[in-house]
Amino acid sequence: IVYVCIGAFTVIACCTCLNHRKDYKDDPETFRQELNVFMTGIVNIIIVHMVLVLNSAIVTMPKKGDEPYRSLAIVMRVLSVIVFVNTVLNLWVQLEEAKYL
């Protein structure tokens, strides 16, 4: 469920970035910042969906004998929590800037 929340929150943050598309001529610096957030969000969406597909295919944790894969699975779960916190903070900032909060 963490991956689904990351994907949904990132899509919402990307949609709020589209509000600044008219800043291209008026405020180029804001446009570049929002474009950076948008492109980063698109990359995160793709990565999260790939991880979600991978987790759907491999349902169980690899055993202790499969050590590099087990460590990768554990690190992937820890990183998903960190990415989730980052996504929530990013969405919060985007919604505050757009004056939705």
Side-chain angles (χ1 to χ4, degrees):
I1 194 160
V2 172
Y3 299 114
V4 174
C5 289
I6 292 171
F9 292 162
T10 305
V11 167
I12 294 170
C14 286
C15 289
T16 59
C17 291
L18 294 176
N19 190 30
H20 294 279
R21 66 186 181 278
K22 61 187 172 293
D23 290 337
Y24 178 68
K25 291 183 181 176
D26 298 336
D27 191 5
E29 184 176 337
T30 302
F31 178 76
R32 282 194 305 269
Q33 289 173 352
E34 296 298 324
L35 183 63
N36 182 32
V37 171
F38 180 76
M39 296 301 288
T40 303
I42 293 296
V43 170
N44 283 343
I45 290 169
I46 293 169
I47 289 172
V48 164
H49 281 84
M50 289 170 51
V51 169
L52 192 59
V53 168
L54 180 65
N55 281 339
S56 298
I58 303 170
V59 194
T60 60
M61 176 77 76
K63 298 185 191 303
K64 288 216 181 228
D66 302 330
E67 187 46 47
Y69 303 110
R70 181 176 173 81
S71 298
L72 283 173
I74 292 171
V75 168
M76 187 172 60
R77 290 179 181 178
V78 170
L79 283 177
S80 70
V81 173
I82 295 169
V83 170
F84 176 72
V85 171
N86 184 27
T87 303
V88 168
L89 289 174
N90 188 16
L91 179 62
W92 188 3
V93 167
Q94 287 299 110
L95 291 177
E96 277 185 347
E97 284 182 2
K99 305 215 182 341
Y100 290 125
L101 291 180

